Amino acid sequence: MKLFKRAGDLSAYLVKQEKNNTSIGFVPTMGALHSGHLSLIASAKSCNGITVCSIFINPTQFNVTSDFEKYPVTLEKDIELLITAGCDVVFIPSVAEIYPQGLQARRLYNLGYLETILEGKYRPGHFQGVCQVVHRLLEIVRPRNMYLGQKDYQQCMVLKTLVNLLAMDTSIIVCPTLREKDGLAMSSRNMRLDEQERQLAVIISQTLLQIKNEIATRDLRIIKAKATDKLVKHGYTVDYVEIAAAETLIMQNSWDGEAKLIALVAAFLNEVRLIDNMILN
Ligand code: AMP
């Protein structure tokens, strides 16, 4: 596996690879890698000649400084995992390499409705930061395919919007959420949970399953309220429990029995904010 720290070096290397008509599959990450990330690498490897993974904890997408400062860093282990997974290239840039004009000189992206709801509402500025870093990474890597996890469902929609806004020739492939045996969605932030919090963390996926089992039986507002209660009773501070149309993320209070729905949850267990979602039908 080749390791690059400089954007210019990586771009030059990839341009040479592309001359052999090799397609590039790209997996952007913030490191602290787990099997969920590695499943994206496996998907990229299965369909592309060269797989590039980036590891960069992007300061502009954190709206709470302590969350940025406490984000787990396991770089040596990450590199070992990527070698074992057969990743071809890892890109580990500095902040200056990603933001050569400085952190203040930022472009604004018109994300419309998507930025006003759910993560956009509860983490103001978050998706602008995500777009800033991914725009820069896409310019450096110029992948044919970019692999993202359904775990960050709204982010997948935002990045599809970004690729359209930029009229870039990159396809986005959304990969299923990998879960621990008890159902907890794998996440780098899970490393920050203590033993008791880790046991409680499973309640989120159980709540999503409960919603899934109930959608046909009653008003969605009652289902959402019941789900929120369940989380609160287990000590969570809930940002949102929502049911939305899966294609548009427009919130739904009733169901016609046909439209494709998704349930989405964001809630804190003490300091740690967890998100998860589940397609309901
Ligand atoms: P992150 O390092 O958290 O920014 O995540 C990098 C990529 O991995 C994103 O596209 C995430 O959606 C994806 N990802 C994170 N957790 C999982 C998971 N449990 N299963 C599949 N993909 C995931």
Side-chain angles (χ1 to χ4, degrees), residues 43-74:
S43 294
K45 270 181 71 69
S46 69
C47 296
N48 298 277
I50 181 159
T51 295
V52 180
C53 175
S54 63
I55 298 178
F56 179 65
I57 305 179
N58 173 33
T60 69
Q61 73 185 70
F62 287 84
N63 52 328
V64 177
T65 316
S66 61
D67 190 27
F68 174 59
E69 284 163 355
K70 289 184 183 162
Y71 202 85
V73 179
T74 59

Side-chain angles (χ1 to χ4, degrees), residues 113-278:
Y113 169 72
L114 275 181
E115 213 182 351
T116 65
I117 53 158
L118 306 172
E119 294 301 287
K121 179 172 163 194
Y122 285 91
R123 301 184 67 189
H126 168 65
F127 285 132
Q128 290 297 325
V130 169
C131 287
Q132 280 142 11
V133 70
V134 174
H135 183 177
R136 174 84 173 120
L137 289 169
L138 286 173
E139 281 182 346
I140 297 166
V141 178
R142 303 221 156 259
R144 189 174 300 171
N145 298 305
M146 175 162 67
Y147 294 81
L148 304 173
Q150 188 200 310
K151 159 97 181 358
D152 299 282
Y153 190 85
Q154 191 177 4
Q155 174 170 277
C156 294
M157 291 181 65
V158 163
L159 293 178
K160 283 179 186 167
T161 306
L162 176 74
V163 165
N164 284 337
L165 281 175
L166 302 173
M168 281 188 122
D169 195 14
T170 296
S171 301
I172 289 183
I173 291 101
V174 178
C175 304
T177 303
L178 252 72
R179 296 178 180 280
E180 304 289 354
K181 280 202 184 94
D182 63 1
L184 172 66
M186 290 181 183
S187 165
S188 306
R189 285 191 170 82
N190 295 350
M191 289 178 197
R192 290 180 54 202
L193 299 169
D194 67 24
E195 217 170 291
Q196 196 197 1
E197 289 163 345
R198 172 62 189 85
Q199 284 182 6
L200 286 170
V202 68
I203 305 288
I204 292 197
S205 60
Q206 288 176 355
T207 304
L208 287 166
L209 273 174
Q210 175 183 310
I211 294 173
K212 187 177 169 132
N213 290 333
E214 287 182 346
I215 49 161
T217 62
R218 61 190 85 170
D219 189 291
L220 300 186
R221 279 169 293 198
I222 296 173
I223 295 175
K224 284 190 263 187
K226 197 175 147 198
T228 307
D229 272 1
K230 180 177 171 121
L231 290 167
V232 171
K233 278 202 188 104
H234 283 91
Y236 282 86
T237 306
V238 176
D239 270 356
Y240 58 80
V241 173
E242 276 297 349
I243 301 175
E247 306 295 331
T248 59
L249 278 187
I250 293 172
M251 307 310 154
Q252 308 290 313
N253 286 327
S254 60
W255 186 46
D256 62 7
E258 290 198 0
K260 191 171 162 194
L261 296 181
I262 182 166
L264 309 105
V265 171
F268 284 89
L269 258 180
N270 300 320
E271 300 278 294
V272 185
R273 188 172 184 276
L274 299 172
I275 63 169
D276 198 357
N277 65 73
M278 197 172 281

Side-chain angles (χ1 to χ4, degrees), residues 5-48:
K5 293 186 171 182
R6 293 289 171 93
D9 294 344
L10 174 61
S11 292
Y13 173 77
L14 291 174
V15 165
K16 270 196 221 143
Q17 303 300 310
E18 272 197 314
K19 284 199 178 122
N20 311 325
N21 205 21
T22 304
S23 78
I24 297 170
F26 178 45
V27 180
T29 80
M30 297 206 294
L33 300 183
H34 50 69
S35 303
H37 296 116
L38 299 178
S39 74
L40 306 189
I41 301 285
S43 294
K45 270 181 71 69
S46 69
C47 296
N48 298 277

